Amino acid sequence: MEQGEPRLRKKSWRRRYICIGVLGVLVLIVVIAVVVGLVLRNNTQQLKGTFIDRCKKFNVSDCQKVWDAFEQAYVGRDPCEVPMEAYDPFIAAAPFEPACNRMMFWSKTKDVVHEFTAKSDCFVTLEDTVLGAVADGLTWCGKKGSSETFTTDCPGWVDCVNNPVRSFWKRVSAAFADAACGNVTAMLNGSITTPFSSQSIFGSIELKRFNSTRMESLNVVMVTQKNPVANCTNASLKMLKAELDNGIQYYCKEVSEAQLKECSNNPQITCGACW
Ligand SMILES: *[C@@H]1O[C@H](CO)[C@@H](O)[C@H](O)[C@H]1NC(C)=O
Ligand SMILES: *[C@@H]1O[C@H](CO)[C@@H](O)[C@H](O)[C@H]1NC(C)=O
Ligand SMILES: *[C@@H]1O[C@H](CO)[C@@H](O)[C@H](O)[C@H]1NC(C)=O
Ligand SMILES: *[C@@H]1O[C@H](CO)[C@@H](O)[C@H](O)[C@H]1NC(C)=O
Ligand SMILES: *[C@@H]1O[C@H](CO)[C@@H](O)[C@H](O)[C@H]1NC(C)=O
Ligand SMILES: *[C@@H]1O[C@H](CO)[C@@H](O)[C@H](O)[C@H]1NC(C)=O
């Protein structure tokens, strides 16, 4: 008895330590779970917040509905199995009115073209419409068996063809080109050897959807720098012309980057008079 008591006490102390240890581990697990949950939710909430804010700038009455249509394309899906058709409901939900004679397409001139269109209301790129603006510069994907939106560890542009971001841009580009009307402009890059590539989104999707029942002309603006590499005579442009729907007029003009800068700094001469 006399010897048993301290042993008992020792045992109960040990039990207490084990209890505290187990409790500590449980608390740690809960804390980690909460933090991970918050980070995941922040991902979803952050992307959604940006999306909705940008949507509202276009005076869209129900941006939540547009978000829901966007989200259903990829949430719960393998991020390499999102085809462009998955965004059909988004296209249907996003109110988009084509701006005839002002539509601007581009390939390999992203920065220059947006600098140019941002400074005046003369031309409208896809990224200036609600279709493209809501997701411009963002990355997102879902995961099988999850209802979350992830913004990290998503497949990149070339990792797999049917990834959520690439399929989105293909689908909205198709919608933008389907609506192309009147005189349409396209800015191509004269500083690379092949200004027109049939593999680009412009060559593989947009150009194929231009329709002469709505479109009058395609005006290529070849943006050149100090030492132009290619110009309007380049053979790749003959391929472009050959792919164009019969009945659409084709024009090409070389315009220096310096001239574009000058035009965007003088908004009153930007509308057409720059080339
Ligand atoms: C949105 O609506 C406000 C108020 O009616 C108007 O001032 C603004 O120009 C509109 N914006 C767009 C992009 O239509
Ligand atoms: C054309 O492409 C080159 C090389 O990628 C780039 O440095 C240049 O800024 C582009 N030009 C325009 C007008 O975007
Ligand atoms: C397209 O441009 C041509 C030539 O500048 C012009 O005559 C024509 O009216 C324009 N088309 C439309 C639909 O504005
Ligand atoms: C253009 O539109 C007409 C009528 O909608 C259609 O029959 C034709 O196939 C279209 N052409 C192209 C090249 O998409
Ligand atoms: C266009 O490029 C070709 C060769 O690529 C060159 O021979 C020709 O002089 C250029 N034309 C102009 C107007 O710069
Ligand atoms: C012009 O186009 C052809 C074929 O698309 C390409 O191979 C060539 O390198 C291009 N560039 C120049 C500067 O000639």
Side-chain angles (χ1 to χ4, degrees), residues 56-59:
K56 282 182 176 158
K57 291 219 174 82
F58 290 89
N59 288 348

Side-chain angles (χ1 to χ4, degrees), residues 108-110 112 189 191-192 223 225 257:
K108 311 263 164 59
T109 52
K110 184 169 187 177
V112 168
N189 190 329
S191 301
I192 53 180
V223 184
Q225 287 167 321
E257 203 176 331

Side-chain angles (χ1 to χ4, degrees), residues 82-117:
V82 177
M84 61 187 273
E85 293 76 23
Y87 290 99
D88 287 354
F90 167 76
I91 299 295
F96 162 64
E97 293 284 333
C100 296
N101 301 321
R102 296 166 54 210
M103 293 171 85
M104 172 73 85
F105 292 79
W106 57 269
S107 188
K108 311 263 164 59
T109 52
K110 184 169 187 177
D111 294 340
V112 168
V113 78
H114 288 129
E115 192 186 335
F116 185 72
T117 62

Side-chain angles (χ1 to χ4, degrees), residues 183-202:
N183 295 316
V184 168
T185 311
M187 264 192 200
L188 303 183
N189 190 329
S191 301
I192 53 180
T193 49
T194 314
F196 171 73
S197 161
S198 55
Q199 310 293 308
S200 65
I201 284 199
F202 177 67

